[in-house]
Amino acid sequence: MKVVDFSKTNSILNQYISEIRNVEVQNDRLRFRRNIERIGEIMAYEMSKEFTYSVKDIRTPLGIAPVSTPDSQLVISTILRAGLPFHQGFLSYFDGAENAFVSAYRKYKDTLKFDIHIEYIASPRIDDKTLIITDPMLATGSSMELSYQAMLTKGHPAEIHVASIIASQQAIEHIKNIFPEDKTIIWCAAIDPEINEHSYIVPGLGDAGDLAYGEKE
């Protein structure tokens, strides 16, 4: 399975990663959300190189211009709520894509133990389409796994792209074991080495949903 780690390349994307991690910058919610969007936009551009293309004849005022454009039918699936600005970044580039939304949350048994629950899904059929599942933070990979299983109730995609901003190495290995190897690509802006006892990515950035939209009760 192909894993793309953008942190290993020199790109302006790393500037936005540095800002969403920086405790002196990240509390500006507007800037945090916009940086998340911009990371999604850059990732969408790079991801588009993996799609299927064909040449179409486009009529201009003066003649016909052959243009190679994507043929892939896209469905962008997002895990709420932290995924919304990331999703918007992809949608800014893939404006003709269909959209799906999955509500996944941690239900704590105590301060350290929790289960992941799927509460809601809204999605089109995904049979033979290119499925992009976005989640800004992949800590254990459990939310991504359950969201993928929920999406399979809507059909079976031809290709799968898992997109994350910061993932733990543990989550990457988990996804490799769960998703079909022959049709999945994992895209990450950065991969961090570990998670702590609360299953937060270290060094990570904190709670992306709270930083984007405010603390929840």
Side-chain angles (χ1 to χ4, degrees):
M1 186 180 297
K2 182 178 179 181
V3 178
V4 180
D5 180 357
F6 288 100
S7 69
K8 297 186 180 301
T9 62
N10 291 327
S11 164
I12 190 61
L13 182 148
N14 290 331
Q15 176 63 36
Y16 307 140
I17 287 292
S18 73
E19 292 184 10
I20 64 172
R21 287 192 192 262
N22 190 327
V23 294
E24 297 180 358
V25 178
Q26 63 178 199
N27 287 325
D28 181 340
R29 290 179 192 161
L30 177 60
R31 188 170 176 179
F32 184 85
R33 291 193 301 270
R34 182 61 188 123
N35 281 337
I36 294 290
E37 284 185 32
R38 291 194 285 193
I39 293 167
E41 291 166 357
I42 294 170
M43 202 173 287
Y45 169 74
E46 295 295 336
M47 187 183 292
S48 72
K49 299 174 184 179
E50 298 287 337
F51 298 162
T52 301
Y53 285 74
S54 66
V55 176
K56 287 88 170 175
D57 289 333
I58 306 301
R59 182 177 298 279
T60 80
L62 300 177
I64 301 296
V67 183
S68 181
T69 60
D71 297 320
S72 303
Q73 291 182 276
L74 306 181
V75 177
I76 308 172
S77 175
T78 294
I79 300 176
L80 300 174
R81 67 179 166 148
L84 288 174
F86 196 33
H87 178 99
Q88 185 58 52
F90 279 87
L91 195 58
S92 293
Y93 273 42
F94 304 148
D95 46 63
E98 296 178 281
N99 296 267
F101 299 92
V102 179
S103 173
Y105 69 97
R106 294 180 177 187
K107 186 174 183 179
Y108 282 87
K109 298 176 181 179
D110 55 43
T111 56
L112 297 179
K113 296 179 180 179
F114 61 86
D115 292 324
I116 302 295
H117 286 257
I118 299 293
E119 193 172 53
Y120 171 84
I121 178 172
S123 171
R125 295 298 301 176
I126 63 172
D127 290 301
D128 301 318
K129 297 177 183 178
T130 296
L131 176 63
I132 303 168
I133 307 182
T134 68
D135 189 1
M137 307 295 288
L138 288 181
T140 66
S142 297
S143 294
M144 181 63 70
E145 177 187 356
L146 289 181
S147 296
Y148 171 58
Q149 295 298 331
M151 289 302 299
L152 289 181
T153 65
K154 306 300 182 181
H156 294 274
E159 300 173 323
I160 304 167
H161 297 272
V162 174
S164 178
I165 296 177
I166 301 177
S168 73
Q169 189 59 52
Q170 176 181 322
I172 296 297
E173 297 306 317
H174 184 68
I175 290 169
K176 285 182 177 180
N177 291 330
I178 296 299
F179 282 69
E181 181 178 3
D182 60 337
K183 61 180 182 180
T184 303
I185 300 178
I186 303 172
W187 305 79
C188 298
I191 300 175
D192 286 357
E194 60 184 347
I195 58 175
N196 63 19
E197 67 274 14
H198 296 282
S199 294
Y200 279 98
I201 302 170
V202 179
L205 56 75
D207 190 302
D210 287 357
L211 290 166
Y213 297 111
E215 294 185 6
K216 56 188 175 295
E217 184 175 335

